[in-house]
């Protein structure tokens, strides 16, 4: 694969974020918020101005952007026990849309309430700052990945990362439990569904990946490393 050495850092990025906040902190934060329910397909936040912060308690949401021409780009998937997007706490314009991929429960905070609580309780402030830092790191890796011209490389390293974080490992392969559509992969890496389909076919022909029951399989060499 081209760009393997340069892509090493990008392997640390994952479009999925979840389980950042432990049970004790969740209970503490619930006292400062109100819980709202949304159905699959509903939009929690449209790009624009807002002074609220959202903590996802259950379910899964997509954070994405759409160009003036209507082209969609998925920035991240957030799962339970994570702030959906911390930057919203600044109350400034933010160019994302947050859409429910499943039914969700969300704790909603007013900016001034959470800020005041953070000053009064260093553990809350620490929780917020850690969440922001981790996501900024993730965004940096995401942007780095977009600088590589080879769609095939971007797909392969995305699959490697997800397989290592969320896959089941055997002696010969990683089995990726998350089911990914070609369109979703295209939205993540900034390509088209047709190009993704062509690239995945090429990866299959090279013996790097396969599919089983609709899920990706990444093969491991004799040194127990994902083949590159």
């Amino acid at each position: 694969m081209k760009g393997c050495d340069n892509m090493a850092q990008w392997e640390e990025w994952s479009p999925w974020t979840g389980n950042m906040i432990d049970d004790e902190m969740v209970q503490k934060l619930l006292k400062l918020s109100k819980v709202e329910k949304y159905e699959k397909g509903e939009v929690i936040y449209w790009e624009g101005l807002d002074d609220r912060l959202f903590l996802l308690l259950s379910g899964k949401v997509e954070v994405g952007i759409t160009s003036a021409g209507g082209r969609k780009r998925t920035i991240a998937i957030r799962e339970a026990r994570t702030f959906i997007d911390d930057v919203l706490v600044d109350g400034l314009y933010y160019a994302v849309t947050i859409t429910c991929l499943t039914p969700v429960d969300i704790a909603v905070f007013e900016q001034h309430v959470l800020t005041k609580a953070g000053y009064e309780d260093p553990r809350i402030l620490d929780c917020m700052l850690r969440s922001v830092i981790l996501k900024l790191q993730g965004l940096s890796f995401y942007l780095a990945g977009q600088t590589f011209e080879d769609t095939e490389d971007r797909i392969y390293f995305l699959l490697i990362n997800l397989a290592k974080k969320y896959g089941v490992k055997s002696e010969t392969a990683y089995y990726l439990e998350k089911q990914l559509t070609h369109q979703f992969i295209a939205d993540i890496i900034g390509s088209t569904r047709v190009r993704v389909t062509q690239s995945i076919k090429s990866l299959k022909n090279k013996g790097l990946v396969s599919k089983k029951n609709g899920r990706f399989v990444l093969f491991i060499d004799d040194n127990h490393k994902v083949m590159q």
Side-chain angles (χ1 to χ4, degrees):
M1 299 292 291
K2 292 182 290 182
C4 287
D5 292 337
N6 293 331
M7 292 288 281
Q9 278 193 316
W10 193 52
E11 290 186 44
E12 298 302 319
W13 171 81
S14 171
W16 263 274
T17 307
N19 298 315
M20 279 187 174
I21 303 172
D22 61 33
D23 291 342
E24 181 181 353
M25 181 55 67
V26 168
Q27 293 304 314
K28 185 184 293 290
L29 291 171
L30 282 174
K31 297 177 181 178
L32 306 170
S33 64
K34 63 177 182 179
V35 177
E36 297 181 357
K37 294 181 180 290
Y38 290 83
E39 296 300 320
K40 179 179 178 181
E42 283 194 80
V43 174
I44 298 169
Y45 177 84
W46 293 97
E47 61 178 271
L49 300 172
D50 208 298
D51 62 355
R52 297 173 299 164
L53 187 68
F54 307 110
L55 169 62
L56 187 58
L57 302 173
S58 67
K60 182 166 57 177
V61 301
E62 174 188 76
V63 180
I65 56 176
T66 304
S67 70
R71 186 174 179 181
K72 177 184 173 185
R73 179 73 63 86
T74 299
I75 297 176
I77 304 297
R78 307 289 189 220
E79 293 187 326
R81 297 178 184 268
T82 181
F83 286 116
I84 293 178
D85 228 298
D86 317 80
V87 76
L88 299 180
V89 78
D90 60 16
L92 300 177
Y93 184 88
Y94 197 46
V96 300
T97 299
I98 300 173
T99 308
C100 298
L101 297 177
T102 67
V104 303
D105 292 325
I106 295 175
V108 182
F109 305 85
E110 296 298 330
Q111 178 188 0
H112 68 280
V113 173
L114 194 59
T115 301
K116 182 174 182 292
Y119 283 121
E120 293 175 350
D121 187 339
R123 290 173 296 178
I124 292 177
L125 184 60
D126 179 70
C127 175
M128 295 169 62
L129 290 176
R130 285 176 181 273
S131 183
V132 170
I133 290 169
L134 286 171
K135 288 174 188 174
L136 285 175
Q137 289 175 339
L139 182 59
S140 296
F141 293 136
Y142 175 83
L143 293 174
Q146 303 312 298
T147 65
F148 291 86
E149 296 181 0
D150 194 316
T151 302
E152 193 172 305
D153 279 353
R154 298 207 302 270
I155 293 171
Y156 187 65
F157 280 94
L158 171 66
L159 295 176
I160 287 175
N161 180 272
L162 292 176
K164 288 180 177 179
K165 289 180 179 292
Y166 305 107
V168 175
K169 184 179 180 182
S170 70
E171 291 187 1
T172 59
Y174 280 98
Y175 295 85
L176 183 53
E177 293 186 317
K178 294 184 180 296
Q179 194 164 6
L180 308 177
T181 66
H182 289 191
Q183 185 60 59
F184 174 78
I185 294 173
D187 291 342
I188 284 286
I189 69 166
S191 185
T192 65
R193 183 184 59 79
V194 172
R195 185 73 184 94
V196 167
T197 298
Q198 293 170 341
S199 297
I200 289 174
K201 182 178 180 181
S202 175
L203 290 170
K204 287 180 179 178
N205 291 338
K206 293 176 181 177
L208 296 171
V209 304
S210 181
K211 268 193 169 183
K212 183 177 182 181
N213 298 325
R215 289 173 170 78
F216 284 98
V217 179
L218 284 87
F219 297 108
I220 301 172
D221 64 18
D222 293 335
N223 296 316
H224 298 282
K225 296 181 178 180
V226 179
M227 291 192 292
Q228 300 178 8

